[in-house]
Amino acid sequence: PSSIASMAAAVALYFFAPELAHLFGHNSRNVGTTTDLRILGVMLPASTITTVACAGVRAWTARTSVLINSVVIPLARPVLFGAFFAVGITAQLATLAWAAPIGAGVVIAVYALISRIRNEPLFRKASTAGRERRPIAREFWTFSVPRTFGAIFQILITYLDVLFVGVFLSAKHAAVYSIASRYIVYGTFALQAVSVAVAPQLSRLVDARDRDGLNAVYRSST
């Protein structure tokens, strides 16, 4: 379902790229911006599949996700930028240099996921057990659908402000705002460290209905 949805979004982005460029580029129908959007749209399904496959592989190991998102893609982008810069870079080549490494990421992620599944003893056992798929699907989607809406809202909160800047000012202002706002992420490192340490304790105390202990841990973490 995620692949189908992302493919539908990619098709819509491809055909409505001129209108979107006009909207978010502050009344500009720049052909280059339209091409940029279409390049990114083509890579949208690959990015989605990579995300889902990495999430699946994390059932066994986090190394694949780290390899793709922290090594392959971040290193490939400046290499491609340098190669294109040597031959005369354009805005479209810069977009391609940013998006193309996602193609390598999806190949690694899908291969790792399929390999892990096929080598999993439980998979071979389940494939011969003949268990009905309907109960499994019901259990899976009952858990996943609410999280889907949560993820959508999280993405909107993270990126909608950049689009608003593009609508009300210009694409150049949106780019500057996007870069500047990323520095805020550095301030969240300490918050993430605290939440990782505190979250299991809060869960245990809530389950035990220990309000005094809950207040003490929350006060300390704050």
Side-chain angles (χ1 to χ4, degrees), residues 119-154:
N119 293 326
E120 174 59 52
L122 292 177
F123 167 74
R124 292 196 292 269
K125 182 179 179 180
S127 62
T128 58
R131 181 183 176 186
E132 293 184 8
R133 294 187 179 184
R134 190 169 299 176
I136 300 175
R138 186 184 304 112
E139 181 181 356
F140 175 81
W141 288 111
T142 301
F143 174 78
S144 298
V145 169
R147 293 170 61 86
T148 300
F149 291 105
I152 291 173
F153 290 128
Q154 184 177 11

Side-chain angles (χ1 to χ4, degrees), residues 11-58:
V11 172
L13 180 58
Y14 186 88
F15 285 106
F16 290 102
E19 288 76 13
L20 292 173
H22 174 70
L23 175 62
F24 296 119
H26 195 62
N27 301 323
S28 172
R29 286 187 178 272
N30 188 289
V31 176
T33 304
T34 300
T35 304
D36 291 337
L37 288 175
R38 285 174 170 166
I39 293 173
L40 296 174
V42 169
M43 287 299 172
L44 181 59
S47 180
T48 300
I49 295 171
T50 301
T51 301
V52 174
C54 285
V57 175
R58 276 199 294 270

Side-chain angles (χ1 to χ4, degrees), residues 7 18 30 58 70 95 97 131 145 147 151 210 215 217:
M7 289 177 185
N30 188 289
R58 276 199 294 270
S70 300
T95 303
R131 181 183 176 186
V145 169
R147 293 170 61 86
D210 183 357
N215 288 334
V217 172

Side-chain angles (χ1 to χ4, degrees), residues 1-221:
S2 59
S3 301
I4 294 173
S6 63
M7 289 177 185
V11 172
L13 180 58
Y14 186 88
F15 285 106
F16 290 102
E19 288 76 13
L20 292 173
H22 174 70
L23 175 62
F24 296 119
H26 195 62
N27 301 323
S28 172
R29 286 187 178 272
N30 188 289
V31 176
T33 304
T34 300
T35 304
D36 291 337
L37 288 175
R38 285 174 170 166
I39 293 173
L40 296 174
V42 169
M43 287 299 172
L44 181 59
S47 180
T48 300
I49 295 171
T50 301
T51 301
V52 174
C54 285
V57 175
R58 276 199 294 270
W60 292 274
T61 177
R63 285 182 295 180
T64 301
S65 179
V66 173
L67 173 66
I68 294 172
N69 297 312
S70 300
V71 179
V72 174
I73 293 179
L75 290 180
R77 282 172 175 164
V79 170
L80 286 177
F81 270 110
F84 290 149
F85 188 81
V87 299
I89 195 168
T90 63
Q92 286 67 52
L93 285 178
T95 303
L96 184 62
W98 188 90
I102 299 174
V106 70
V107 172
I108 298 173
V110 171
Y111 175 79
L113 179 61
I114 293 176
S115 299
R116 290 283 183 174
I117 291 176
R118 292 191 178 278
N119 293 326
E120 174 59 52
L122 292 177
F123 167 74
R124 292 196 292 269
K125 182 179 179 180
S127 62
T128 58
R131 181 183 176 186
E132 293 184 8
R133 294 187 179 184
R134 190 169 299 176
I136 300 175
R138 186 184 304 112
E139 181 181 356
F140 175 81
W141 288 111
T142 301
F143 174 78
S144 298
V145 169
R147 293 170 61 86
T148 300
F149 291 105
I152 291 173
F153 290 128
Q154 184 177 11
I155 293 172
L156 289 177
I157 291 172
T158 304
Y159 294 105
L160 200 59
D161 53 348
V162 179
L163 298 179
F164 279 151
V165 174
V167 170
F168 293 118
L169 294 177
S170 69
K172 182 183 294 185
H173 286 86
V176 173
Y177 174 83
S178 178
I179 294 171
S181 63
R182 292 302 176 265
Y183 285 103
I184 300 174
V185 175
Y186 290 110
T188 66
F189 286 163
L191 296 178
Q192 290 176 354
V194 172
S195 65
V196 168
V198 169
Q201 299 183 52
L202 294 179
S203 178
R204 175 179 57 82
L205 293 169
V206 168
D207 185 62
R209 303 183 186 279
D210 183 357
R211 297 191 62 175
D212 292 335
L214 187 65
N215 288 334
V217 172
Y218 185 80
R219 186 181 299 110
S220 299
S221 62

